[in-house]
Amino acid sequence: MKVGFDYQIFTLQAFGGISRYYVSLVEQLKSMGHSPRIFAPYHCNEYLSNVSPLTVDGKRIATRNSKLMRLSLPINQMLSNSRMKSWAPDVTHETYFSMFKPSRRSFPTVLTVYDMVHEKFPEEFSRWGNISVRKRMAVERADHVICISESTRNDLIQAFGVDESKVSVVYLGFDTFADVSIKTDSPESSRRPYLLFVGNRAGYKNFHGFLRAFALSPALKADYDIACFGGGAFTVAEKELIHSLGLSEDRVRHQGGSDKILGDLYSQAAAFVYPSMYEGFGLPPLEAMAKGCPVIVSHSSSMPEVVGEAGCYFDPHSIEEMSAAMEKVVFSPSLRQSMVSAGYNRLQKFSWASCAEKTMDVYTQVVR
């Protein structure tokens, strides 16, 4: 089957979970004998450099100038539509929520909805782009919608009044990252044991709650540090909170870098803490499990659905409960080991191969 993917997310993301999802899906579809092609005339995405040139119709603009990339959207839309129409796919997959109405097509369209966070927490997002409005329009024009969890599917149907028969659930796979050899002279091995936080830290991600829960425990403060990966350098407000809680920046450190570095951090962490108020799926817990890292996670939205029995849960609104969950895990070697084993078992439920197979079922359904 010929499957065309549009330019959108590859113009918006240099890195990120959504573009990684599509690249992984494309690679799996190719291995299954299908013919996927990404139409991204001018993009900024790093992952596409690892995809066969025959699969990507476009070239990378090495720039961090988000304004320039936004200006390229109308050009990408026009060229992508034209080139895709000439290629004549059996089905197209829109990779985000376009502000442009696509030209009339003779082939069916599938859309993936990743979460309903803009609808759940509208006060945390700029009105620029009207993402919620664009999402609704994209959902209405799609022939079928994929959601990445039952939680997201339920939220979508409730918020937009979508016909249940139009929405399917396809779970994501996960990445194990490069294997690393932990040497005794590595930078991390010489540090104190630490709890790991990954990704963006603002608003509903509940980083401030995590800091307060950590600082609430004298035992955690005495024996553990915090490592944060991604999400940019600490803001002034975050630094002020760190100091106000009696912590210091050498005990709460930020780390950026490659997937290999992230894999290293997962491998060496005492536990991974995921305090988010809401997630459409949540890949980091699976990534942590794959590196043998115990997962301490909030009991909200899709997290129980994804993590299952492999996590130690807490109410994200309760600082005391979060603090107690962290103490419970890090100070019990036997519990940590049983959680690691449960995590490896849980991973068998998720793979990019399974994601591609179930996505193909959706494509076949809409092509009939």
Side-chain angles (χ1 to χ4, degrees):
M1 183 180 291
K2 295 170 69 175
V3 184
F5 296 84
D6 71 12
Y7 63 94
Q8 293 185 72
I9 200 61
F10 305 105
T11 308
L12 298 171
Q13 283 189 343
F15 300 93
I18 299 177
S19 56
R20 188 199 295 262
Y21 154 60
Y22 284 109
V23 167
S24 299
L25 178 58
V26 163
E27 290 173 343
Q28 288 296 325
L29 291 174
K30 285 175 59 182
S31 71
M32 293 165 63
H34 299 287
S35 299
R37 184 171 294 183
I38 297 169
F39 293 86
Y42 300 102
H43 66 84
C44 63
N45 192 264
E46 296 280 354
Y47 303 134
L48 291 185
S49 61
N50 297 320
V51 179
S52 167
L54 297 177
T55 306
V56 180
D57 186 332
K59 65 179 181 179
R60 179 173 172 266
I61 301 174
T63 179
R64 293 185 179 274
N65 189 326
S66 58
K67 182 177 181 181
L68 177 61
M69 293 311 301
R70 286 199 299 269
L71 291 173
S72 74
L73 287 173
I75 299 173
N76 274 316
Q77 191 259 351
M78 178 181 66
L79 292 176
S80 178
N81 275 349
S82 175
R83 295 175 184 180
M84 194 180 293
K85 186 176 181 180
S86 297
W87 189 60
D90 297 301
V91 62
T92 61
H93 200 140
E94 291 191 25
T95 60
Y96 207 59
F97 316 120
S98 177
M99 67 180 70
F100 306 107
K101 290 184 178 180
S103 58
R104 295 189 65 180
R105 297 169 175 170
S106 57
F107 30 81
T109 299
V110 170
L111 175 77
T112 297
V113 172
Y114 321 98
D115 58 50
M116 297 298 286
V117 67
H118 292 85
E119 292 73 24
K120 293 281 187 179
F121 301 90
E123 70 282 356
E124 294 188 18
F125 297 93
S126 166
R127 292 187 178 183
W128 183 89
N130 295 316
I131 290 179
S132 189
V133 174
R134 290 159 49 191
K135 183 190 296 183
R136 184 186 289 271
M137 292 175 61
V139 166
E140 289 175 351
R141 68 173 173 258
D143 293 283
H144 201 86
V145 178
I146 291 172
C147 287
I148 59 178
S149 68
E150 290 288 353
S151 172
T152 296
R153 180 179 185 269
N154 293 336
D155 290 342
L156 172 67
I157 291 171
Q158 182 177 3
F160 289 174
V162 184
D163 185 338
E164 293 185 8
S165 64
K166 185 179 176 176
V167 189
S168 298
V169 173
V170 177
Y171 289 135
L172 302 181
F174 65 95
D175 296 284
T176 58
F177 307 121
D179 288 332
V180 292
S181 297
I182 303 174
K183 301 178 181 179
T184 56
D185 59 351
S186 70
E188 291 303 327
S189 62
S190 62
R191 292 184 180 271
R192 292 153 51 90
Y194 61 90
L195 298 172
L196 179 62
F197 183 100
V198 173
N200 294 327
R201 301 183 299 272
Y204 72 95
K205 293 292 187 178
N206 202 20
F207 179 64
H208 285 200
F210 166 56
L211 287 178
R212 291 188 172 93
F214 179 88
L216 185 64
S217 167
L220 290 174
K221 289 176 68 175
D223 293 345
Y224 288 87
D225 289 350
I226 292 174
C228 301
F229 181 89
F234 292 135
T235 65
V236 172
E238 287 171 340
K239 290 179 180 179
E240 290 176 349
L241 178 59
I242 290 169
H243 293 151
S244 72
L245 292 171
L247 306 172
S248 60
E249 289 184 45
D250 64 325
R251 298 283 309 282
V252 183
R253 61 190 186 276
H254 176 264
Q255 172 74 60
S258 66
D259 284 348
K260 187 176 185 300
I261 292 174
L262 177 55
D264 197 355
L265 288 168
Y266 279 131
S267 295
Q268 300 182 54
F272 167 66
V273 184
Y274 206 45
S276 180
M277 301 283 188
Y278 178 89
E279 294 293 329
F281 183 82
L283 280 173
L286 297 183
E287 296 171 350
M289 291 178 200
K291 304 304 287 188
C293 182
V295 173
I296 306 169
V297 61
S298 64
H299 197 283
S300 64
S301 59
S302 65
M303 267 79 85
E305 183 181 346
V306 173
V307 177
E309 299 299 318
C312 180
Y313 292 96
F314 57 84
D315 178 353
H317 299 280
S318 171
I319 301 301
E320 293 78 11
E321 210 174 293
M322 194 189 317
S323 183
M326 290 189 282
E327 287 185 338
K328 178 181 178 181
V329 172
V330 302
F331 293 119
S332 174
S334 60
L335 176 58
R336 291 181 69 250
Q337 187 54 53
S338 67
M339 291 176 67
V340 169
S341 297
Y344 287 140
N345 290 333
R346 185 65 179 173
L347 290 177
Q348 298 176 22
K349 186 177 178 67
F350 306 96
S351 71
W352 287 121
S354 175
C355 176
E357 290 171 2
K358 289 179 170 54
T359 302
M360 272 305 307
D361 291 342
V362 173
Y363 294 157
T364 301
Q365 177 182 336
V366 298
V367 167
R368 288 173 181 168

